[in-house]
Amino acid sequence: MSTLYISHPACLDHQTPLGHPERPDRIRAIERALEKERFTSLVRDQAPMAEMDSLTLAHPESYVVRLRDISPREGLVRIDEDTVMSPGTYEAALRAAGGAVKAVDEVMSGHVANAFVAMRPPGHHAERVRAMGFCFFNNAAIAARHAQKKHGAGRVAIFDWDVHHGNGTQDIFWSDASVLYCSTHEAPLYPGTGAASETGEHNNIVNAPLNAGDGTEAFREAVETAILPRIDAFAPDLIIISAGFDAHWRDPLASLNLTETDFAWATQKLMDLADRHCGRRIVSVLEGGYDLDGLAKSTAFHLDALMGREMHT
Ligand SMILES: [Zn+2]
């Protein structure tokens, strides 16, 4: 069974101000890394624009319309201190969400074993009614709800290993017992949420904060003790990964010291759980990752693992 890789050139048209870490070169760096011989067997496809029906799985229609209406014809519109819309942003955001929806369709229908969506803007900081932290639509949340609504997935587990806490995903699923949201992240750090005491209305939120300076050992221990047993007990019908690679030691925005090997290891652990519970179904969506070299290597190791290669862990 193959691994699907989804992207779209429109995500390069989401422009951010000079010096902004969330920039088009991130996707270019990933694409360059995937030109290597060992990735020729990836099934590649383009991300379609998400329909309103999909976006409203995680956001009210009024929020979507407001974003569309403030979308600039030229220049940049600032949503908050670090979240900016350019003329290409709205379409890029629609395709980032649409790519996640398509990945779910292909994985849930059994056409591919698993999928990785390399799109921007990222999504995990986007709350139901608030764009923030470089994010507009919550791609992972939309993917989870789409799997439930269109494909009958009862329970969906999300593991978010981005170095920042996914406050948006937590917000959306806070009262939803059918989704288990698990996060490792550095704390204290933006956006300030993600304490271990935040557990959701149905004990369906699992936060495992790490300290600045933590690396391989602390990360793997947190994953093995706090997160994997919870996903195992939840017995999900689909596993979604919010795959941010900014916990990499090279990343300029945070101070965890993971290596690309740690992401391959975590991917492998989730694949073991997916094997046991949900016919190996995994959908992974890109979140952060701002050092181009760290991002490219980490993505390549993540894909190696998704493609069933175990040599890195
Ligand atoms: Zn991040």
Side-chain angles (χ1 to χ4, degrees):
M1 280 275 275
S2 44
T3 294
L4 174 65
Y5 173 83
I6 294 180
S7 190
H8 195 286
C11 78
L12 304 176
D13 295 332
H14 165 43
Q15 300 288 342
T16 49
L18 195 66
H20 195 289
E22 206 293 280
R23 58 206 191 277
D25 279 350
R26 298 177 61 231
I27 303 298
R28 295 191 184 102
I30 289 173
E31 301 270 346
R32 263 197 308 280
L34 300 185
E35 283 167 8
K36 293 205 172 78
E37 175 81 37
R38 68 182 202 266
F39 295 115
T40 49
S41 60
L42 279 175
V43 179
R44 293 173 194 245
D45 210 341
Q46 297 214 314
M49 284 190 262
E51 306 284 343
M52 182 63 86
D53 280 359
S54 300
L55 300 170
T56 53
L57 293 170
H59 307 280
E61 185 166 345
S62 57
Y63 169 82
V64 179
V65 169
R66 183 156 52 87
L67 272 185
R68 188 192 65 200
D69 288 351
I70 60 175
S71 188
R73 294 244 175 94
E74 56 186 45
L76 299 176
V77 169
R78 210 168 266 280
I79 306 293
D80 71 18
E81 205 162 298
D82 45 32
T83 311
V84 173
M85 292 187 89
S86 72
T89 299
Y90 189 69
E91 181 178 338
L94 288 181
R95 290 191 188 277
V101 167
K102 176 158 192 147
V104 166
D105 286 338
E106 295 301 302
V107 168
M108 292 303 291
S109 61
H111 293 152
V112 292
N114 50 41
F116 178 69
V117 185
M119 288 291 287
R120 57 183 287 277
H124 74 150
H125 293 306
E127 300 182 346
R128 281 186 73 254
V129 291
R130 183 156 69 140
M132 61 180 275
F134 317 160
C135 301
F136 299 89
F137 298 129
N138 196 308
N139 308 317
I142 290 167
R145 288 251 165 90
H146 178 75
Q148 295 182 311
K149 191 176 162 203
K150 288 281 160 60
H151 299 280
R155 292 173 310 282
V156 179
I158 301 174
F159 180 15
D160 181 339
W161 65 49
D162 187 281
V163 79
H164 304 98
H165 179 243
N167 60 292
T169 316
Q170 173 168 300
D171 170 63
I172 290 164
F173 296 117
W174 185 261
S175 308
D176 185 345
S178 71
V179 175
L180 181 73
Y181 174 71
C182 306
S183 174
T184 52
H185 47 273
E186 181 181 331
L189 190 69
Y190 182 91
T193 49
S197 58
E198 296 166 21
T199 55
E201 241 172 62
H202 308 281
N203 198 26
N204 59 309
I205 306 283
V206 183
N207 285 309
L210 300 166
N211 298 310
D214 279 352
T216 297
E217 200 179 329
F219 172 71
R220 293 190 185 197
E221 191 189 330
V223 172
E224 282 193 315
T225 59
I227 291 182
L228 297 178
R230 292 294 303 273
I231 297 178
D232 196 14
F234 190 67
D237 300 303
L238 171 69
I239 294 175
I240 293 176
I241 305 173
S242 261
F245 298 108
D246 41 9
H248 193 276
W249 65 272
R250 290 181 59 103
D251 200 273
L253 262 55
S255 307
L256 292 189
N257 289 310
L258 302 195
T259 68
E260 47 273 22
T261 303
D262 294 316
F263 297 116
W265 172 85
T267 308
Q268 185 59 55
K269 290 289 178 191
L270 291 177
M271 287 176 72
D272 292 344
L273 289 178
D275 218 4
R276 187 175 316 160
H277 294 294
C278 51
R280 304 166 73 194
R281 292 187 289 272
I282 293 182
V283 168
S284 176
V285 297
L286 179 66
E287 301 286 359
Y290 304 101
D291 175 81
L292 297 184
D293 188 47
L295 171 64
K297 282 203 180 96
S298 300
T299 302
F301 275 44
H302 178 47
L303 278 165
D304 274 332
L306 286 175
M307 293 168 84
R309 300 177 186 134
E310 293 183 48
M311 72 261 204
H312 294 310
T313 59

